[in-house]
Amino acid sequence: MLSLTRQIFLATKFKMAVNFETDVQYLKGVGPKLGSVFAKRGVYTVGDLLEWYPRTYEDRRGAKTISSLEPGQLVSLVAQVVNVRSMNLGKSRRKMYEILLGDSSGRIACKYFRVPYRGYFERVEAGMKVRVSGKVTDYRGRIEFHHPDVHPHREDENEEDVLIPIYTETEGLTPAKLRKIIETALIELDKTEKGFASGASQETEWKKSPKSQAEVLPKWLRDKYQLPTKMQSLSQIHQPPVQQSDLFLSFTSPAQRRLIFEEFFRLEFLMAFRKKGLEKEESVRVQADEKLKAKFLKSLPFELTGAQIRAYEEIKKDMSLPHPMHRLVQGDVGSGKTMVAFLSALYAIEAGFQAALMVPTEILAEQHFKNAVKLLQPMGIEPVLLTGSMKAKERALLNHRVSTGEAQFIVGTHALIQDSVNYHNLGLVVIDEQHRFGVAQRTQLKKKGVSPHFLVMTATPIPRTLAMTVYGDLDVSIINEMPKGRQPIVTRKAFSNKKVQVFNFLEAQLEKGRQAYVVYPLVEESDKMDLQDATKAFAKIGERFPKYSVALLHGKMKPDEKEKVMKEFRAGQHHILVATTVIEVGVDVPNANIMVIENAERFGLSQLHQLRGRVGRGEHKSFCVLLYGHAVSDESRARGDIMEKTNDGFKIAEADLELRGPGEFLGRRQSGLAGFKMANLIRDIETLKQARDAAFEVFEKDPDLKEHQQLKSLIRSLEFLG
Ligand code: ADP
Ligand code: MG
C-alpha cells in the first residue's frame, strides 16, 4: 500500500481514483482524526471500510407504537425518554442500566448489562425524543428491549428510507457520519469503475478496476450458485434495495448470501487445498495379513461393536494407500476408541512398522501404556512409555530402543515428537483426545524424515455440520454405537442443601463395592468466587466417610504423584477420588459408577458431558449428580436440564452450540472459525454446504489452480491460520 503522503501527492497530481486499497483517510470527510478512530476498529483501507458490515437493519416500514409491539419483532420507533438509571445486580458489583421509554400508548424498558461505550447513557436524558431499534424481548410476561440501539432523534432523518443499516456503535463516530462516509466510498469506487469501463484508464499505480480487484469468486462459480458480484453485494449491503427489505432482515438477500458464501468459501478452500495436498504426499504403504488381529480379538473379554469394526476397516484401507491417512475417529465418551487405536497399531506393527500413540496428559499416557502391556505384550509386541517427566537417563535408554526399532508401540505425551526422539520406521501416529494435530507437529515429524499415517481420535462431539468446517481437511469415521450392556447414566440436579442426601446415596454405592468421583472446579480457593476448595473438601469428605479411603487428585500435583493416586484408584485401593477437571479426559475405571460434580454451574455443557463420561463404563448402573450452589443463572440451569435429559454427546453438542452461539462454542477450538463477519454457523448452514462443495469442485476441475490465479492468493492469506 502507498503511504498517505504519496497517495495525496498522486491524488492531487493525477486526480487519483479511489480503489479498494486506498487509505480511508483519503476519503472525503475522513482525515487523520477519524482515520485513527477507524484504525482502532482495524479499518485502514476503503476495502476494510466496506467490510464493516451493518449489524442489523432498522425497519421503518409502518409507524409503530409501544403498545403494538410483539415479542420477537425487530423494530425501530421514535419515543420519549422517561428516565435513565443504573442499578446493582443482586449483591455483586455488576451494574445494569435502564433507559425507560414512553409514547402515548405505553412504556417499555431498554436494559443494558454492560455499557456499549463510554458516554453512551450520557447522550440521552428525560424528555428527549429518541429512536430505538432492536428486538422486542419477552421477560416474565412483559416486553422489553435488551441492548437496543438508542440515539437522539434527528428532525432531518429521512423518513422515506425504509431499511437503515445499523453499525456497531463506536466512540467518536456517529452512525449518520459512518453511513455518509460509506456512501462516499461507494460513489468514488463507482466513478473509478466507470473510468475503466470507458477505456479512459486512470492515471494510477493500480491497473485493476475496483470490480475485478474485489472479486475472488470465479464467474462460473457465481453463475452456478447464483451469486451477485462482490462489488454489487458490498454496495447493497450498505444500501439495501427497498424491494428486498424482508430478505435483508432475514439475512437471505442475494447480497448477504454472496458475502456469507465467500466467508465460508475462503475457509473451505483452504481445507480443500490441504486435503488435496495430502493426497499428493507420499507415505509408507501398510499391508499385513492380520494374523495378530484374530489372536488379539480372542484375548478380549468382549466382542467389538459394529461401529468399531467399521472404523478399523476404514483405517486399514487408508493405510494401505501410498499417501498419508488423515482420519478422525469421532466417538462419544466410552464408545471404545482405544480398541480401534490398538487394532490399527497392531496392523501397522504386523506390517513391520512402529506405531505411536500420543495423548495430552501423563495420566492418560500411563493408562494406555498399562493397557498395552496387558493386551499387546502377550502378542509379542514391545510397548514403551515416553513422557516429559522422565529422568534423562531413562529417556536416553528408551530413545535408544525407539531408534533401533526394538520398541514397537510407543505411548506418550508430546515428548513423542521431540527432537531427541528418532524413530526406526514409524508407520502410524494415533493422537487421542486432541481436537487437532497441528500442521506444525506434522512438519516436525516430517523433518525426522518420516511421513506416517495419522489417526486423530476425539470424544468431543461436534454437530455434524460443524465437523465439516472444524475437521474439514480430515476424513471422518464415526463410532455411533456403544458397547453392549451399557446402561444410560442417570443424571440428577440437586442444590447443595441436599448434599447430605447425595452423600448418603454415594455411600450406598460404596457399600456395594463401587467407587466414586467427587469433582470440584478449582484447586485453590479464590477470593473472587465462593468456590469450594478441593483440598478443603477432601478433608471434609475424609471425615464424612471414615470407613473408606479417599484420595485427592489435582492439576498442581507432580506427575508421579498424580500417577500414583490414579494407579491406586484403578486398583481399588481408594474408594473416593476427589478431583479437579484433570480427570476430564480419557480416564477409564469401569468400577467407578457415581460422580458428584460440585458447583456444576461453573462448568460448560461439553465439559460436564466429558466429566460424566468417567462413569458408566462398566456393567454397573451409574449415576451423576450435579450439585448447584446459589445464584444459578437460567443458562446453567438449562445446561443441567439437558444433562438430565440425554446421554448423547451429539445432542449435547448441538444444544451447547445453541446456548452459546458458534463464536464461543468454537472459540477455544479454532480461532479462524470464530472470526466470521457476517456468516453464522447455525443460520447459514445451507450456504456452508454449498461453499464447501464449491471449494472442492474448484480442485476437481483445476488441481493446480492454473485457471484460477486469483484463488491462489487465498491460500497465501489463509495459511498462517494453521
Ligand atoms: P473412549 O471411546 O471414551 O476412549 P474407551 O476406549 O476408554 O472409551 O473404552 C471404554 C470402556 O469400554 C473400556 O473399559 C473398554 O475396555 C470397554 N470397551 C471397549 N470396547 C468394548 C466393546 N466392544 N464391548 C464392551 N466393552 C468395550
Ligand atoms: Mg479414550
Side-chain angles (χ1 to χ4, degrees):
M1 208 176 70
L2 297 177
S3 74
L4 187 61
T5 32
R6 175 103 178 110
Q7 285 188 41
I8 291 170
F9 167 77
L10 284 171
T12 39
K13 185 151 183 221
F14 300 115
K15 271 190 161 247
M16 188 188 72
V18 169
N19 219 318
F20 273 83
E21 281 162 14
T22 309
D23 193 313
V24 270
Q25 295 190 47
Y26 171 65
L27 279 178
K28 200 168 69 196
V30 184
K33 198 161 153 239
L34 261 189
S36 70
V37 173
F38 277 121
K40 268 195 213 132
R41 296 209 55 101
V43 172
Y44 301 97
T45 64
V46 167
D48 296 338
L49 176 70
L50 294 185
E51 285 190 14
W52 186 341
Y53 299 140
R55 215 161 41 71
T56 178
Y57 297 89
E58 214 175 273
D59 184 6
R60 293 189 180 172
R61 290 169 299 172
K64 289 190 184 74
T65 57
I66 291 176
S67 66
S68 72
L69 299 179
E70 301 269 355
Q73 278 178 335
L74 201 62
V75 295
S76 169
L77 70 150
V78 177
Q80 200 163 35
V81 177
V82 177
N83 79 44
V84 185
R85 57 180 190 148
S86 69
M87 52 204 119
N88 286 336
L89 271 178
K91 279 186 216 141
S92 74
R93 257 185 289 159
R94 279 181 50 214
K95 275 189 169 174
M96 191 186 88
Y97 301 82
E98 186 190 84
I99 302 176
L100 187 62
L101 300 179
D103 65 11
S104 58
S105 77
R107 289 184 171 189
I108 186 166
C110 307
K111 290 186 176 166
Y112 298 84
F113 302 97
R114 57 189 145 73
V115 184
Y117 58 79
R118 199 150 40 87
Y120 186 87
F121 295 104
E122 284 75 7
R123 300 170 312 153
V124 290
E125 55 185 43
M128 194 183 249
K129 228 172 152 193
V130 292
R131 180 171 280 283
V132 54
S133 314
K135 192 169 172 182
V136 183
T137 309
D138 174 58
Y139 180 71
R140 302 193 174 161
R142 253 204 319 206
I143 53 160
E144 36 188 58
F145 285 115
H146 292 169
H147 289 261
D149 293 290
V150 170
H151 58 254
H153 179 63
R154 292 181 315 274
E155 291 305 333
D156 66 340
E157 264 183 27
N158 184 357
E159 303 290 346
E160 315 235 297
D161 288 340
V162 291
L163 223 53
I164 307 294
I166 301 292
Y167 301 89
T168 310
E169 302 264 4
T170 298
E171 209 180 329
L173 184 64
T174 65
K177 179 87 186 161
L178 178 59
R179 282 195 283 269
K180 183 82 202 137
I181 294 167
I182 289 174
E183 192 186 322
T184 309
L186 288 170
I187 292 170
E188 290 297 321
L189 283 171
D190 195 48
K191 275 192 213 158
T192 313
E193 189 65 44
K194 291 215 172 86
F196 272 94
S198 68
S201 174
Q202 307 291 312
E203 294 287 340
T204 72
E205 298 201 3
W206 299 294
K207 294 284 187 289
K208 275 184 170 177
S209 80
K211 204 167 143 186
S212 63
Q213 191 184 23
E215 195 57 71
V216 289
L217 300 179
K219 184 160 184 322
W220 66 265
L221 231 164
R222 273 185 280 131
D223 290 345
K224 177 163 178 180
Y225 292 96
Q226 297 175 8
L227 305 167
T229 64
K230 175 80 168 266
M231 193 61 236
Q232 191 189 352
S233 306
L234 284 176
S235 147
Q236 289 193 351
I237 235 37
H238 297 288
Q239 301 172 342
V242 179
Q243 64 279 15
Q244 288 184 21
S245 296
D246 285 325
L247 297 180
F248 268 89
L249 285 170
S250 59
F251 279 85
T252 52
S253 67
Q256 285 160 315
R257 234 191 92 232
R258 143 79 207 216
L259 296 174
I260 291 165
F261 184 98
E262 182 176 326
E263 281 187 311
F264 285 140
F265 180 82
R266 284 170 178 268
L267 182 76
E268 293 299 329
F269 187 74
L270 184 65
M271 295 290 181
F273 171 73
R274 282 199 196 135
K275 198 151 189 289
K276 295 289 161 188
L278 288 168
E279 282 166 20
K280 277 188 233 162
E281 246 176 61
E282 277 180 32
S283 79
V284 292
R285 272 187 116 115
V286 177
Q287 276 160 326
D289 52 16
E290 299 190 277
K291 284 211 183 76
L292 287 179
K293 179 186 155 199
K295 210 170 140 198
F296 176 71
L297 291 184
K298 246 190 234 152
S299 75
L300 293 177
F302 47 72
E303 298 214 333
L304 293 183
T305 64
Q308 283 171 316
I309 294 169
R310 267 196 307 280
Y312 168 67
E313 291 296 329
E314 284 167 347
I315 293 161
K316 215 173 72 187
K317 201 162 147 209
D318 282 359
M319 287 201 288
S320 69
L321 300 173
H323 51 252
M325 162 172 76
H326 263 244
R327 184 168 286 277
L328 172 82
V329 174
Q330 210 187 357
D332 210 343
V333 279
S335 62
K337 293 183 292 294
T338 312
M339 280 306 132
V340 176
F342 277 25
L343 272 173
S344 313
L346 204 61
Y347 187 75
I349 293 167
E350 186 174 356
F353 295 97
Q354 289 172 300
L357 174 58
M358 192 165 102
V359 295
T361 67
E362 302 211 350
I363 291 183
L364 213 48
E366 180 82 23
Q367 179 180 291
H368 281 324
F369 175 67
K370 283 199 58 163
N371 261 327
V373 171
K374 193 170 87 192
L375 296 171
L376 299 181
Q377 220 163 30
M379 333 233 13
I381 289 166
E382 268 318 298
V384 302
L385 177 69
L386 268 186
T387 65
S389 66
M390 280 177 167
K391 305 231 162 53
K393 228 172 160 183
E394 193 182 1
R395 272 280 277 281
L397 205 75
L398 291 171
N399 281 350
H400 177 72
R401 292 177 58 201
V402 173
S403 66
T404 58
E406 187 196 329
Q408 294 160 294
F409 188 52
I410 304 112
V411 183
T413 54
H414 265 74
L416 288 187
I417 53 167
Q418 264 156 25
D419 285 344
S420 56
V421 189
N422 285 303
Y423 292 91
H424 179 63
N425 58 353
L426 187 61
L428 170 69
V429 178
V430 184
I431 299 114
D432 191 18
E433 299 297 353
Q434 251 162 352
H435 305 305
R436 290 197 66 85
F437 187 61
V439 179
Q441 287 99 317
R442 213 150 56 209
T443 320
Q444 209 159 335
L445 275 172
K446 252 193 250 160
K447 269 197 297 193
K448 294 177 188 291
V450 285
S451 185
H453 296 281
F454 288 99
L455 187 63
V456 185
M457 305 202 296
T458 179
T460 308
I462 284 192
R464 211 157 294 228
T465 43
L466 287 195
M468 226 157 41
T469 50
V470 182
Y471 306 127
D473 51 350
L474 300 172
D475 295 304
V476 181
S477 297
I478 293 182
I479 304 192
N480 52 1
E481 186 185 347
M482 284 288 173
K484 271 199 210 89
R486 289 280 169 80
Q487 305 175 45
I489 303 162
V490 176
T491 302
R492 288 290 171 265
K493 300 195 297 279
F495 283 94
S496 40
N497 57 1
K498 288 274 158 34
K499 212 162 171 172
V500 176
Q501 288 93 321
V502 170
F503 279 173
N504 288 345
F505 182 73
L506 188 150
E507 190 166 30
Q509 297 304 314
L510 299 184
E511 275 162 18
K512 286 185 195 159
R514 302 287 81 78
Q515 288 162 285
Y517 297 103
V518 180
V519 182
Y520 288 85
L522 279 186
V523 194
E524 276 158 2
E525 210 158 41
S526 102
D527 350 317
K528 283 204 194 116
M529 295 176 277
D530 55 343
L531 292 179
Q532 309 234 23
D533 173 24
T535 319
K536 227 197 276 167
F538 164 63
K540 269 200 197 149
I541 290 175
E543 284 166 29
R544 167 64 186 80
F545 298 97
K547 283 199 298 183
Y548 295 100
S549 169
V550 183
L552 177 65
L553 184 76
H554 62 72
K556 299 221 171 113
M557 284 160 64
K558 294 216 181 69
D560 50 339
E561 290 171 354
K562 275 194 243 174
E563 186 35 45
K564 186 168 168 282
V565 170
M566 261 337 282
K567 211 180 266 176
E568 291 166 354
F569 186 65
R570 219 171 274 143
Q573 287 164 304
H574 302 302
H575 306 100
I576 304 177
L577 187 65
V578 176
T580 59
T581 51
V582 283
I583 59 153
E584 190 180 337
V585 283
V587 170
D588 185 38
V589 182
N591 187 48
N593 78 326
I594 176 163
M595 171 176 282
V596 176
I597 302 179
E598 293 259 9
N599 288 111
E601 70 273 12
R602 302 277 182 205
F603 295 97
L605 250 186
S606 50
Q607 206 176 12
L608 287 173
H609 179 64
Q610 285 290 319
L611 285 168
R612 178 173 63 180
R614 298 311 110 221
V615 296
R617 305 191 137 241
E619 76 264 36
H620 314 292
K621 183 165 179 128
S622 295
F623 307 91
C624 175
V625 184
L626 307 173
L627 273 180
Y628 286 88
H630 21 262
V632 177
S633 70
D634 288 352
E635 199 190 311
S636 35
R637 204 179 315 224
R639 290 197 293 261
D641 291 344
I642 293 162
M643 289 294 291
E644 280 186 348
K645 241 181 261 152
T646 181
N647 277 291
D648 182 333
F650 283 98
K651 284 197 187 129
I652 288 175
E654 262 154 38
D656 200 15
L657 178 66
E658 242 160 70
L659 278 177
R660 287 198 289 167
E664 258 195 79
F665 182 82
L666 292 166
R668 280 170 304 137
R669 233 157 266 170
Q670 206 186 24
S671 50
L673 272 179
F676 293 131
K677 282 183 174 154
M678 187 179 300
N680 175 313
L681 285 163
I682 301 173
R683 184 192 61 204
D684 305 321
I685 208 73
E686 284 309 312
T687 310
L688 169 60
K689 285 181 197 154
Q690 292 178 345
R692 181 171 173 82
D693 289 346
F696 279 81
E697 196 180 338
V698 170
F699 284 100
E700 292 297 313
K701 279 197 153 83
D702 181 16
D704 301 315
L705 303 180
K706 283 200 190 83
E707 312 286 317
H708 293 87
Q709 290 300 326
Q710 81 273 39
L711 289 176
K712 279 193 171 163
S713 65
L714 289 191
I715 295 165
R716 281 192 291 275
S717 66
L718 270 174
E719 229 170 8
F720 69 92
L721 282 177

